[in-house]
Structures are given as structure tokens and as C-alpha cells.
Amino acid sequence: MGELVRIERDGGVAVIRMARTEKYNAFNRELSDAVRAAFDDVERDASIVCTVLTGSGTAFSAGADMTEAIASIEGTGRSEGMYVTLERIARYPKPLIGCINGIAYGGGALVATLCDVRVASDQAAFRFPGAAYGLVVGASHLPRIIGPAYAKELLFTARVVKADEALRMGLVNSVVPHAHAEAAAMEMARQVAANSLEALIGTKETIDRATHADDGIDTEARWNLVLRESPEHHRRFREATERVATKP
């Protein structure tokens, strides 16, 4: 199967590259564990000031692995799945730039929102399908980035948002031609890495506290604790998985 995550270092910049390419970087347990380990690694590395998170192939991340999630439903009910990985990324103290190289759907879109800055390929696309699956996904983080009205629109409709629209609503900081997306993210990362790490960590914490979503995070978690065990969520998720399986 090969490495699921690769870490590349360039001076004060680390690139964490998700490499479950054949599954569009969907998060199964193994990828989740590997991503958390990568963040632990670069956080401990005092030489790393700024980190870039990106995917391989045509996807940033397709979200949670549907096969694994269905197996969990058929067993004892859906687990929190990606939750511990999302929580790990959310508390990463150093500047984090998301290079959104392709689709970012579901949990993958949520991972993108946890990055401090998002540089998107013109082939990037976002979708927050929680409501379609009977869950609350992204409601605590998305309003901080694009405001409550846009957030409600995207979460209520669960529609796909392509790169140009994502830029207009502020979901991404910039959109560049696909072939140049990583170079653009690295250029920004090197600019960030030239500054004081301690000051950057302090700046990130201050901004996050100034726009805190603690109550929203708790509310989202509380809703999902109930919804993940609901028959409606199980039905909707099975139906979504069957639609994906029957696509040509």
C-alpha cells in the first residue's frame, strides 16, 4: 500500500502530503493515524515554522472512508471516525496552509477549514454534505471563515462549490492554475517561515480566540453524538454509499 502520508522538509517549511491516492485520500483509520503522527512530528520539530497540508492525485480529501463507515454502522453504530484527527489539526499551534489541490468533500472540506490559510487549485471543489447524511458537519467552523449566511447556504444545500465561487465568498484566500498551486502555497509558506515562530504561534492563538467557536464546537459534537446513532442517518449514509458504488 505504501506510505499513506509523506513529510517533506524545505528549510523552515514542512509539507504533509496525504497519499492514499487510489481512494482520493479518504480518511480510514490508517490514514487518520498517519496524519496525526505527521502533525505530532512537525510540531516537535523546532526547525519547522510553517506547515503545508495537501493531497495527492486529484483530491485534497474525499472525507471519511465510506466503506469503513458503513462497516461501523452495521456493527455497533458509527464511531466518531475522523474526530480525533480533526481535533488534532485544530489544536496544531503553528501556521498551517492548506494547498487544496482537488476535491475537498465532507470531512476533507472540514480539514480544509481547519487550515489557517487556503491556497486552491483552479480544479478544487468543496462540499459539506452533512445534512444530506443526517449529520452536522462544519457548522461550528465555516461561519468563522465565510460568515453565517454563506455557511448556512452551503450546509443547508450540501451543494458543490467550485474554486472560483469559493474565492468570491472567502472560503479560499487565492485560486491559481492547478500546475502552480503547490508552488504558490510554498512561496507563501516560506514568507511565513521567515518570521518569529513564537510570535506566529501567539498571533494564531490570539486570532483564534478572538473568533472562537467553542460553544459551536460543543453544540456540533452534542448533536452528532445523537445523530450518528439515528436510523435516519444510517439510512441516508447507506443510500449515499450505494449511489457512489453504482457510479460508472
Side-chain angles (χ1 to χ4, degrees):
M1 184 171 57
E3 281 185 297
L4 291 176
V5 171
R6 296 193 296 273
I7 302 175
E8 302 154 16
R9 288 172 167 82
D10 179 341
V13 177
V15 178
I16 298 176
R17 190 183 307 278
M18 297 177 285
R20 196 180 180 220
T21 311
E22 75 285 356
K23 293 294 186 179
Y24 303 100
N25 305 314
F27 279 82
N28 62 356
R29 288 178 181 83
E30 290 77 16
L31 180 59
S32 292
D33 290 346
V35 167
R36 291 198 304 277
F39 274 91
D40 289 344
D41 188 338
V42 295
E43 181 174 341
R44 286 192 300 263
D45 188 339
S47 72
I48 297 303
V49 177
C50 184
T51 302
V52 175
L53 176 64
T54 192
S56 56
T58 60
F60 178 75
S61 172
D65 185 290
M66 298 184 85
T67 302
E68 188 173 274
I70 283 293
S72 182
I73 287 175
E74 299 295 347
T76 58
R78 279 210 59 190
S79 68
E80 286 300 314
M82 291 178 62
Y83 175 78
V84 289
T85 302
L86 295 168
E87 191 273 337
R88 177 65 185 96
I89 297 171
R91 61 182 173 81
Y92 183 65
K94 300 179 184 181
L96 178 61
I97 297 173
C99 177
I100 316 303
N101 59 297
I103 62 168
Y105 287 0
L110 186 50
V111 169
T113 67
L114 295 175
C115 297
D116 300 308
V117 177
R118 283 157 295 282
V119 176
S121 154
D122 56 8
Q123 296 179 19
F126 300 83
R127 185 175 182 236
F128 298 85
Y133 296 162
L135 293 173
V136 180
V137 179
S140 60
H141 292 282
L142 199 55
R144 302 173 66 193
I145 301 169
I146 61 175
Y150 275 137
K152 288 175 181 176
E153 178 186 342
L154 299 192
L155 297 172
F156 288 174
T157 64
R159 65 181 179 84
V160 173
V161 178
K162 294 187 177 180
D164 55 348
E165 184 181 8
L167 180 63
R168 288 198 299 273
M169 63 175 56
L171 182 54
V172 299
N173 296 71
S174 60
V175 174
V176 297
H178 181 73
H180 304 298
E182 191 165 328
M186 289 299 294
E187 180 181 1
M188 181 185 296
R190 291 186 188 106
Q191 290 177 345
V192 173
N195 296 315
S196 161
L197 175 57
E198 188 173 10
L200 291 166
I201 290 173
T203 299
K204 176 172 176 171
E205 182 182 351
T206 301
I207 293 172
D208 287 348
R209 285 181 177 273
T211 58
H212 75 93
D214 291 350
D215 290 343
I217 292 169
D218 291 343
T219 302
E220 184 170 326
R222 188 170 68 250
W223 269 102
N224 283 328
L225 188 65
V226 175
L227 291 171
R228 286 188 188 283
E229 301 302 323
S230 70
E232 182 178 14
H233 163 57
H234 293 180
R235 174 183 62 79
R236 285 178 172 273
F237 203 83
R238 286 193 189 96
E239 290 172 354
T241 304
E242 289 166 3
R243 287 196 297 272
V244 171
T246 57
K247 281 183 179 179

